[in-house]
Amino acid sequence: MSGDRNEQPAAGVGKTPAERRTWRRLGGWLRGPGGWLRGPGGLRLGGWLRGPGGRRIGTALAVLAVTLSGIVIGVALGGRVETDIGPFRAELSISPAGHGRTTIAIPPLGALQLDSHAGPSHLTIRLGALDPGRTEELIDNPAMISRQTETAVDDLRAGVLRLAVRTTAVSVLATLILAALVFRGTRRTAWAGLLALTVTGGTLAYAGLTIRPESLDEPRYEGLLINAPAIVGDVRRIADDYNKYGEQLQQIIGNVTKLYTTVSELPVYEPDPNTTRVLHVSDMHLNPTGWQIIRTVVEQYDIDVVIDTGDINDWGSEPEASYVAAIAQLGVPYVYIRGNHDSATTENAVRSQPNAIVLDDSVTTVGGLTIAGIGDPRFTPDKSTPMGGSELSGDTANQLIANGEALADRIRANSAPVDIALVHDPSAAGPLSGLTPLVLAGHTHNRQVSRLPQAPGSELNTDLMVQGSSGGAGLRGLEGEQATPLSMSVLYFDQERRLQAYDDIRVGGTGEAHVNLERHIVRDPAEGVVDAPVTPTPTRGAPAPTSTPASPAPSGTPARPTPTG
């Protein structure tokens, strides 16, 4: 008994009175009627927890906690690399997850989700912009396009391997540092580092060994890519006909690289310092290439105002809203009206940009110019909207005419004369004749300059400028043998706010890498573009015109409408 009494105090050596009381209560609870264990077993458990075995378990749990914390920190800091995949820059990242999967993000279009492997790791591949250096090499040596396509899988494999090595190394290093700070001892720090290497390396190795190539056959689409199966067909069919698909991919990559490399070749014009320079764009249709060209024109031409006559998006969906964030990077006022592909979500996303001005049956003054505009009354992202002319139904024509009449009433009620009026569909421009010297529109994807019929009782001539597609008809414009040109115009206004000249800019097209600029001088700004053909617009109760005369296309670049509005 005396020996037992001597052992009990020894177990409590170094403990405070409060800690000893806690242990006694725990032992009493274990032995009591409501305890987890009754009888002597409770005492044996309490002694074991206070003995060497309990201390070893506590130490092991502490090492495990520090190791997991170090791995989380290491993955957050080191689980990310940038690599080249073909001519594109891509960001690869890894993060913990409940089950293994891969996300291929293609901003701003959406993402593909693949059940690609097993294990608690999530791989994200985010495709970025084209690498300028590699792009120039592709243009100088077209044979490299084929080689880049063939080596894209090897590029991706090398990038994933580098990501795995980097993630493991940083995780182990973070664990060692954290363990050294917590334990202040070599042995436990070494155990934590070895455990981090085992867990991280083992997890990534397990993911690599359980890769399921068949997951590529059944991806889950997110964002705008939910429409991809309807556009590109069944993934299995593409895989079965890989050679044909590879040729199409080479064609698209070649067209994109040509557009990028020609941006730097835009010519520069130095107008009078007092001139107001306006860049007219339209129908971007979600093509990210267009933003780079717009930024180049804004900088090189010292643009004061950008005017966008609609269809900045393709489906007007929530994922597309991020596309308009590039507006803020332009650094100049951006006046916008809604197109038939732009939803209220799109309009609000544009309105949230600090330099954007959204017009919808309203008037603003910017850069010394008074501008009135109204959004398209339709929302038809299914691309079934008629392009105008004889295809317009009576109801659609009346809807567009009413749209133009509403803007005409707004202009009449405005206290100051309106210099420029904006509509998306040129079929809505008729009621604006005689109220403003210039109407800007888009929608048709075909550059045209014409004059509206003279309004009764008005001596003011009204010119109508319809812009081509500044996004090359969207990403679909890159799929053909010849890339659809990206079109935009720079308008020069004198101190009296009259149009004195305009430059039509076309980038790419006809399968060649070139920029075409055609300057037009307005000989008498007070009269407007006197050589523009008079073009009738739809009227109520009358059949719509069957055709619209187009102004001559720039030399070497035939004008051609695209099948989408």
Side-chain angles (χ1 to χ4, degrees):
M1 293 297 293
S2 61
D4 292 341
R5 293 191 189 96
N6 291 334
E7 288 179 4
Q8 292 298 332
V13 172
K15 291 185 170 58
T16 65
E19 290 175 332
R20 288 195 291 270
R21 286 194 297 273
T22 300
W23 279 106
R24 284 197 295 270
R25 293 193 191 99
L26 177 60
W29 179 82
L30 291 171
R31 289 177 297 169
W36 177 58
L37 293 175
R38 301 182 63 181
L43 284 176
R44 286 196 296 270
L45 177 61
W48 180 79
L49 289 173
R50 289 178 292 169
R55 288 194 295 271
R56 283 194 293 268
I57 292 296
T59 300
L61 291 176
V63 171
L64 179 61
V66 169
T67 300
L68 294 178
S69 300
I71 291 174
V72 171
I73 294 173
V75 170
L77 295 177
R80 190 180 307 273
V81 298
E82 287 191 353
T83 188
D84 293 323
I85 300 179
F88 295 91
R89 293 293 295 172
E91 181 184 88
L92 278 60
S93 61
I94 196 166
S95 59
H99 65 279
R101 68 184 189 276
T102 297
T103 298
I104 303 176
I106 312 175
L109 301 179
L112 298 178
Q113 299 288 349
L114 307 176
D115 292 326
S116 56
H117 59 275
S121 59
H122 177 201
L123 174 65
T124 299
I125 304 171
R126 181 177 293 271
L127 295 181
L130 288 171
D131 179 76
R134 301 186 75 176
T135 299
E136 291 179 2
E137 293 178 4
L138 292 179
I139 297 303
D140 295 337
N141 185 6
M144 289 187 64
I145 295 178
S146 178
R147 290 198 294 270
Q148 291 285 352
T149 304
E150 295 172 356
T151 60
V153 175
D154 294 334
D155 292 340
L156 179 58
R157 183 181 294 111
V160 172
L161 179 60
R162 187 156 57 93
L163 174 64
V165 172
R166 175 183 169 86
T167 302
T168 302
V170 177
S171 296
V172 172
L173 179 60
T175 301
L176 291 173
I177 294 174
L178 183 60
L181 294 175
V182 172
F183 299 124
R184 300 184 182 277
T186 304
R187 185 177 180 182
R188 295 176 183 176
T189 299
W191 275 110
L194 180 60
L195 184 58
L197 176 62
T198 302
V199 172
T200 308
T203 299
L204 296 179
Y206 180 61
L209 294 173
T210 57
I211 289 178
R212 293 189 291 267
E214 64 273 13
S215 64
L216 292 171
D217 292 342
E218 297 179 352
R220 296 190 303 276
Y221 297 92
E222 294 180 354
L224 296 178
L225 292 179
I226 59 175
N227 304 296
I231 297 173
V232 302
D234 186 79
V235 177
R236 294 189 183 89
R237 180 175 56 80
I238 293 179
D240 293 339
D241 194 9
Y242 179 77
N243 290 334
K244 182 178 180 181
Y245 172 70
E247 294 173 359
Q248 294 173 350
L249 181 60
Q250 294 173 27
Q251 196 171 58
I252 292 176
I253 292 175
N255 287 333
V256 173
T257 54
K258 290 173 184 177
L259 292 178
Y260 268 83
T261 54
T262 54
V263 171
S264 60
E265 302 174 7
L266 288 172
V268 180
Y269 169 59
E270 293 293 340
D272 184 272
N274 296 320
T275 299
T276 300
R277 306 162 189 84
V278 175
L279 176 62
H280 178 203
V281 302
S282 190
D283 296 84
M284 294 281 288
H285 285 294
L286 206 65
N287 189 346
T289 307
W291 286 125
Q292 182 174 352
I293 298 175
I294 289 174
R295 284 194 296 269
T296 300
V297 174
V298 167
E299 294 171 2
Q300 293 190 0
Y301 282 69
D302 197 16
I303 296 297
D304 298 298
V305 183
V306 177
I307 291 178
D308 185 341
T309 47
D311 278 0
I312 195 171
N313 276 176
D314 224 358
W315 293 87
S317 62
E318 183 67 33
E320 292 175 283
S322 61
Y323 174 74
V324 308
I327 292 174
Q329 301 174 14
L330 299 179
V332 297
Y334 193 95
V335 182
Y336 161 87
I337 61 169
R338 187 182 62 253
N340 61 287
H341 282 258
D342 300 330
S343 64
T345 299
T346 302
E347 185 177 278
N348 290 332
V350 174
R351 185 179 284 108
S352 67
Q353 304 307 309
N355 57 324
I357 302 171
V358 176
L359 297 181
D360 193 10
D361 197 16
S362 53
V363 182
T364 187
T365 299
V366 57
L369 298 170
T370 301
I371 306 171
I374 191 169
D376 197 280
R378 305 158 297 177
F379 177 53
T380 53
D382 58 357
K383 301 177 179 61
S384 63
T385 305
M387 301 298 291
S390 60
E391 297 180 359
L392 280 178
S393 66
D395 291 341
T396 301
N398 290 338
Q399 188 180 21
L400 292 172
I401 292 169
N403 192 238
E405 290 173 344
L407 183 59
D409 291 339
R410 174 65 61 184
I411 293 175
R412 293 189 186 96
N414 198 60
S415 58
V418 169
D419 303 307
I420 307 173
L422 312 179
V423 294
H424 176 65
D425 193 320
S427 297
L432 303 173
S433 179
L435 297 177
T436 179
L438 181 62
V439 178
L440 301 182
H443 185 65
T444 66
H445 299 182
N446 186 23
R447 175 68 178 166
Q448 298 178 3
V449 179
S450 60
R451 173 160 292 182
L452 296 177
Q454 190 79 26
S458 174
E459 298 181 357
L460 179 64
N461 295 320
T462 299
D463 294 322
L464 172 63
M465 290 188 170
V466 181
Q467 189 56 268
S469 175
S470 302
L475 296 178
R476 295 174 304 280
L478 299 173
E479 296 175 352
E481 294 182 2
Q482 298 177 352
T484 302
L486 281 70
S487 303
M488 57 195 70
S489 300
V490 179
L491 314 178
Y492 304 95
F493 294 85
D494 60 22
Q495 290 180 287
E496 297 181 359
R497 307 187 307 279
R498 296 178 302 189
L499 183 67
Q500 59 179 346
Y502 58 95
D503 292 337
D504 290 335
I505 300 172
R506 298 169 73 91
V507 179
T510 66
E512 301 175 1
H514 75 275
V515 176
N516 187 290
L517 183 144
E518 183 172 342
R519 172 150 306 131
H520 304 270
I521 303 298
V522 180
R523 301 301 177 186
D524 187 354
E527 292 294 325
V529 186
V530 295
D531 56 347
V534 177
T535 301
T537 57
T539 58
R540 296 182 187 273
T546 57
S547 63
T548 302
S551 59
S555 176
T557 309
R560 52 174 179 157
T562 59
T564 179

